[in-house]
Amino acid sequence: MDIALLILGFLLMLVGILGSFLPVLPGPPISWVGLLLLYLTKAVPDNWWILGVTFVIAITITILDYVIPAMGTKRFGGSKFGMWGTIIGLLVALFVPIFGPLGIIIWPFIGALVGELLNKANKKTAMKAAFGSFLGFLTGTFMKLVVTVMYTVFYVYITVKYAGDLFTFS
């Protein structure tokens, strides 16, 4: 059973990292569940402090991910159209990789710009708001990525530390 929890936990770590970029997946909470599964194995001793602190971090980052793009858009004079344009641009980047890896940066900006122009903003205001929305999106994505990668590194560290107990096949 420990091996099944270990494999499922690691898969959740990878899905959590993907969730840093995909707006439909809450990356940090998914990665946290992976950590929880690791601590549910018989080999790894319970540490509710680590699980509690990492849970609070995951929830805080998830909440901030919704607040920061709104703050960036509002600070730069944008609207909800710009925020939605950013999200749609990200989805386009994922499913239509025209610009390759740079598409994850270019498409959200284009989406925010188009969203603001559809909101009847003039070009200067639309560019400024698109930049704010885009900057907020990048900040949120970066925070989620850092947290999920840190959780994954911690997961691997704990797995290696208790490998002798985890991988006993008796």
Side-chain angles (χ1 to χ4, degrees):
M1 185 64 170
D2 282 357
I3 298 297
L5 289 172
L6 194 67
I7 292 169
L8 184 58
F10 188 71
L11 290 174
L12 288 174
M13 288 290 154
L14 297 178
V15 171
I17 290 172
L18 285 176
S20 298
F21 299 102
L22 300 173
V24 292
L25 293 174
I30 291 173
S31 288
W32 182 84
V33 172
L35 279 178
L36 176 64
L37 292 180
L38 177 64
Y39 277 93
L40 291 177
T41 63
K42 292 177 186 168
V44 179
D46 294 338
N47 190 331
W48 298 109
W49 282 103
I50 287 177
L51 287 173
V53 169
T54 54
F55 178 75
V56 169
I57 290 170
I59 296 304
T60 303
I61 293 297
T62 302
I63 292 169
L64 285 175
D65 185 45
Y66 290 103
V67 173
I68 289 174
M71 288 173 26
T73 301
K74 189 173 185 178
R75 174 138 172 89
F76 285 85
S79 68
K80 290 183 181 182
F81 285 88
M83 289 189 312
W84 279 107
T86 302
I87 291 169
I88 292 168
L90 175 65
L91 293 174
V92 169
L94 294 172
F95 296 111
V96 185
I98 291 175
F99 295 117
L102 288 177
I104 202 96
I105 295 171
I106 295 169
W107 282 114
F109 179 81
I110 291 171
L113 180 64
V114 169
E116 290 301 331
L117 289 172
L118 287 174
N119 193 35
K120 308 222 186 320
N122 65 38
K123 288 180 185 176
K124 184 178 179 184
T125 305
M127 281 294 274
K128 187 176 174 185
F131 179 73
S133 180
F134 173 70
L135 192 61
F137 164 76
L138 281 184
T139 303
T141 300
F142 180 73
M143 285 186 335
K144 291 187 299 183
L145 180 64
V146 167
V147 167
T148 56
V149 167
M150 285 176 44
Y151 284 5
T152 304
V153 168
F154 184 66
Y155 183 94
V156 170
Y157 169 77
I158 295 297
T159 301
V160 169
K161 183 176 178 180
Y162 293 100
D165 296 327
L166 283 167
F167 300 108
T168 57
F169 299 103
S170 55

